């Protein structure tokens, strides 16, 4: 079905030569952004499959088209007139169409949307129209085929994605097509009802399409030049991470560092397809490559010991002390049972011979705090039991730490120089990360010091 020269790998009958490119809302917020997107696509003939988001914010207090659509649906659901709100959305698209000098009318589409919202104001249907319309405009502008996501992205009736069905629907639908623009964010259930992913879900669509066409790479174009080593609100002008593995990404994302929808990882990871985060406004930047462990890392130019640092506030530590705790059979089980009965999961549990500390999300602990304390007193009869709040957890993540001696010592030297008290230490068996707990007030300084120690001093 593909006629491609220079094919290096052939998997399941698909050639690994095409690129799937997803553009986020800010990349398609107005006509000027559309022009940048078209230039990017046209500069590489491998960029054949395009997944757009709905128009995002053009300036900081602008409203995303998706949010405007949710509002229309809400008004429609309450029986309030929404025609002005819908007209404002149409204006956004018409601004793009005229800015691109195109001859295109969305009158018919908008009258269908209006009728549908009046008859059945369904939230997912309403929100999906942002991507649907943007894809129509982009497809026409590029001269590409439009493929409706409702025909290819399939959910079960509970709203879970059916990956196998989806992959085969995509393959059947694009058979013989040289290119396609496929709207992000939505699909349909097996009963034919429009269903969206959670917010930011166009990332997921892109990943699924990349899986289905066995793409060489999944390029995710956004408004930043990749993942940063640390939060730019804390570290001034941090480096961009050149290459990160899926596992490292998960560690950092869990700590709140996020550019990509969480569910966008699985479909490409399982197919061994790398993701490249790119900046539509700076296409010359290489961005961040997200890869599997078997990637050829020698292609990377920089090689710091650590890949990234991220921190998260809002944790509490339940501290339990009891003489001879280490000799008491089942002590840990009893403690964990109390947590289990109260529906609490824990983040970390460092322990000593007579002490045990359990780090828990404060917000989850709050409703059952007194009950948990009472049950622990009863179950394990501790000598001392107290909760310390206001703890931040910081993860220093890096695949190279495993083979580099002295990493943990450097983390602690950085803390000691800054006179930051470390309340908790945890190094997983994978040696992929070092977790430390500090007081919330110390978190920004802790991150800056570690950045200096590992990034600035290794330059
Ligand atoms: N337009 C949707 C949102 O605003 C989906 C996306 O942009 O990925 O969440």
């Amino acid at each position: 079905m593909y006629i491609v020269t220079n094919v290096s790998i052939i998997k399941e009958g698909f050639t690994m030569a095409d690129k799937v490119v997803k553009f986020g809302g800010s990349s398609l917020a107005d006509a000027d952004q559309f022009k940048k997107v078209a230039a990017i696509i046209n500069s590489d003939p491998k960029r054949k499959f395009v997944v757009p988001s709905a128009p995002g914010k053009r300036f900081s207090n602008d409203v995303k088209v998706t949010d405007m659509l949710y509002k229309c649906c809400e008004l429609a659901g309450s029986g309030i007139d929404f025609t002005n709100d819908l007209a404002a959305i149409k204006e956004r698209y018409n601004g793009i169409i005229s800015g691109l000098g195109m001859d295109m009318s969305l009158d018919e589409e908008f009258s269908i949307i209006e009728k549908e919202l009046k008859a059945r104001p369904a939230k997912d249907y309403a929100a999906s129209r942002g991507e649907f319309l943007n894809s129509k405009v982009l497809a026409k502008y590029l001269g590409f085929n439009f493929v409706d996501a409702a025909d290819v992205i399939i959910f079960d009736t509970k709203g879970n994605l059916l990956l196998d069905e989806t992959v085969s629907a995509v393959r059947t639908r694009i058979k013989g097509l040289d290119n396609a623009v496929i709207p992000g964010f939505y699909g349909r259930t097996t009963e034919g009802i429009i269903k969206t992913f959670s917010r930011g879900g166009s990332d997921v669509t892109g990943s699924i399409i990349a899986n289905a066409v066995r793409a060489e790479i999944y390029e995710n174009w956004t408004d930043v030049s990749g993942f940063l080593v640390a939060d730019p609100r804390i570290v001034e002008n941090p480096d961009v991470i050149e290459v990160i593995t899926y596992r490292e990404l998960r560690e950092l994302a869990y700590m709140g560092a996020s550019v990509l929808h969480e569910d966008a990882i699985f479909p490409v990871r399982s197919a061994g397809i790398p993701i490249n985060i790119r900046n539509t406004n700076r296409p010359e930047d290489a961005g961040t490559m997200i890869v599997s462990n078997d990637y050829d890392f020698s292609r990377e130019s920089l090689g710091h010991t650590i890949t990234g640092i991220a921190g998260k506030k809002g944790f509490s530590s339940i501290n339990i002390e009891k003489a001879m705790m280490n000799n008491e059979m089942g002590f840990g089980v009893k403690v964990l049972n109390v947590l289990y009965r109260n529906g609490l999961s824990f983040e970390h549990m460092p322990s000593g011979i007579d002490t045990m500390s359990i780090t828990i999300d404060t917000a989850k602990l709050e409703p059952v705090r007194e009950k948990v304390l009472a049950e622990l007193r009863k179950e394990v009869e501790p000598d001392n039991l107290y909760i310390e709040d206001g703890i931040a957890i910081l993860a220093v993540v890096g695949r190279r730490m495993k083979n580099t001696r002295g990493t943990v010592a450097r983390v602690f030297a950085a803390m000691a120089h800054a006179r930051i008290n470390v309340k908790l230490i945890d190094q997983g068996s994978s040696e992929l990360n070092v977790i430390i707990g500090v007081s919330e007030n110390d978190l920004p300084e802790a991150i800056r010091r570690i950045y200096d120690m590992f990034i600035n001093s290794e330059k």
Side-chain angles (χ1 to χ4, degrees):
M1 66 161 278
Y2 284 77
I3 306 166
V4 185
T5 50
N6 253 342
V7 178
S8 48
I9 307 168
I10 298 183
K11 263 191 188 175
E12 295 172 31
F14 274 75
T15 57
M16 290 195 56
D18 300 330
K19 295 181 177 177
V20 170
V21 286
K22 180 258 166 177
F23 290 89
S26 59
S27 301
L28 292 164
D30 59 24
D32 284 341
Q33 292 299 91
F34 262 69
K35 288 179 189 163
K36 292 182 194 170
V37 165
I40 290 166
I41 295 168
N42 292 330
S43 70
D44 184 347
K46 287 183 173 182
R47 294 185 175 130
K48 288 184 180 174
F49 298 105
V50 183
V51 177
S53 281
K57 293 184 180 187
R58 296 159 293 183
F59 39 85
S60 70
N61 54 356
D62 197 11
V63 183
K64 294 181 178 185
V65 163
T66 307
D67 290 310
M68 298 168 87
L69 286 160
Y70 278 129
K71 187 175 171 215
C72 280
C73 181
E74 225 180 281
L75 295 174
S78 318
I80 302 170
D81 176 42
F82 61 91
T83 42
N84 286 342
D85 296 82
L86 197 60
I89 298 172
K90 195 169 173 186
E91 246 343 280
R92 289 281 310 255
Y93 288 101
N94 283 342
I96 293 170
I97 291 168
S98 65
L100 294 175
M102 293 166 71
D103 178 21
M104 183 181 189
S105 160
L106 294 172
D107 288 352
E108 204 183 313
E109 282 81 0
F110 271 93
S111 82
I112 294 173
I113 295 169
E114 185 174 342
K115 259 191 225 133
E116 188 62 31
L117 284 182
K118 277 184 181 151
R120 280 172 293 273
K123 234 177 131 188
D124 284 10
Y125 166 78
S128 74
R129 297 304 88 186
E131 272 71 10
F132 174 82
L133 295 166
N134 225 21
S135 299
K136 287 245 157 171
V137 177
L138 185 61
K140 176 137 198 224
Y141 185 55
L142 293 170
F144 275 29
N145 300 294
F146 171 82
V147 168
D148 192 351
D151 295 340
V152 292
I153 305 284
I154 318 223
F155 297 90
D156 68 15
T157 49
K158 293 198 185 93
N160 304 306
L161 176 77
L162 298 171
L163 187 61
D164 291 345
E165 283 84 339
T166 295
V167 165
S168 88
V170 172
R171 289 179 177 180
T172 311
R173 179 67 183 81
I174 64 170
K175 219 174 192 136
L177 299 184
D178 284 340
N179 53 48
V181 175
I182 307 156
F185 194 36
Y186 74 95
R188 67 158 167 86
T189 67
T190 45
E191 287 176 337
I193 295 165
I194 295 287
K195 164 94 194 103
T196 66
F197 293 108
S198 56
R199 293 300 301 263
S202 300
D203 284 344
V204 189
T205 311
S207 178
I208 293 167
I209 302 297
N211 175 311
V213 305
R214 297 286 147 174
E216 168 186 290
I217 195 165
Y218 169 28
E219 291 180 345
N220 190 296
W221 292 82
T222 171
D223 54 5
V224 289
S225 293
F227 281 100
L228 301 173
V229 173
D231 187 337
R233 288 165 299 186
I234 296 175
V235 172
E236 202 183 318
N237 219 349
D239 279 4
V240 172
I241 300 174
E242 227 179 297
V243 179
I244 187 169
T245 64
Y246 288 114
R247 284 182 60 193
E248 291 173 314
L249 177 66
R250 185 167 143 66
E251 299 284 345
L252 290 174
Y254 176 72
M255 285 290 170
S258 151
V259 181
L260 199 69
H261 194 293
E262 212 188 350
D263 297 339
I265 305 289
F266 175 73
V268 275
R269 186 181 182 173
S270 64
I273 299 165
I275 306 176
N276 189 192
I277 307 288
R278 299 288 293 265
N279 189 347
T280 300
N281 305 317
R282 291 184 56 91
E284 64 281 13
D285 290 351
T288 299
M289 286 290 281
I290 309 170
V291 302
S292 319
N293 288 333
D294 55 9
Y295 179 77
D296 174 12
F297 292 101
S298 63
R299 284 194 262 171
E300 199 178 0
S301 63
L302 284 169
H304 294 299
T305 311
I306 66 166
T307 303
I309 317 158
K312 206 169 165 183
K313 293 181 178 176
F315 292 97
S316 299
S317 176
I318 304 180
N319 301 317
I320 310 170
E321 295 171 13
K322 188 174 186 187
M324 311 296 282
M325 180 192 286
N326 61 322
N327 282 334
E328 195 176 320
M329 280 290 227
F331 190 93
V333 174
K334 288 182 200 159
V335 170
L336 293 184
N337 253 326
V338 171
L339 300 185
Y340 178 69
R341 282 203 301 269
N342 285 282
L344 290 176
S345 58
F346 68 91
E347 311 291 320
H348 299 282
M349 190 171 62
S351 60
I353 47 174
D354 293 337
T355 60
M356 182 185 253
S357 314
I358 306 157
T359 318
I360 295 186
D361 183 336
T362 309
K364 289 187 189 139
L365 175 64
E366 208 45 53
V368 287
R369 178 186 287 260
E370 293 312 318
K371 194 164 163 267
V372 165
L373 285 176
E375 288 180 28
L376 284 173
R377 268 187 213 107
K378 193 164 158 248
E379 290 275 347
V380 297
E381 300 174 340
D383 300 335
N384 195 7
L385 172 69
Y386 62 98
I387 294 177
E388 189 180 353
D389 295 317
I391 291 178
I393 293 183
L394 191 157
V396 185
V397 177
R399 59 187 179 274
R400 294 188 199 81
M401 293 195 310
K402 195 170 178 154
N403 301 318
T404 316
R405 285 189 203 162
T407 309
V408 180
R410 288 168 76 192
V411 171
F412 290 109
M415 296 301 95
H417 289 152
R419 298 186 175 281
I420 293 173
N421 182 26
V422 176
K423 295 173 183 289
L424 147 91
I425 312 163
D426 198 349
Q427 184 180 27
S429 55
S430 64
E431 292 185 48
L432 191 70
N433 60 11
V434 175
I435 304 280
I436 61 174
V438 298
S439 148
E440 286 183 343
N441 300 333
D442 289 332
L443 182 66
E445 189 57 16
I447 291 178
R448 280 192 286 268
R449 293 292 181 136
I450 293 171
Y451 187 89
D452 273 344
M453 179 64 96
F454 286 96
I455 306 296
N456 288 338
S457 74
E458 285 181 7
K459 272 187 180 153

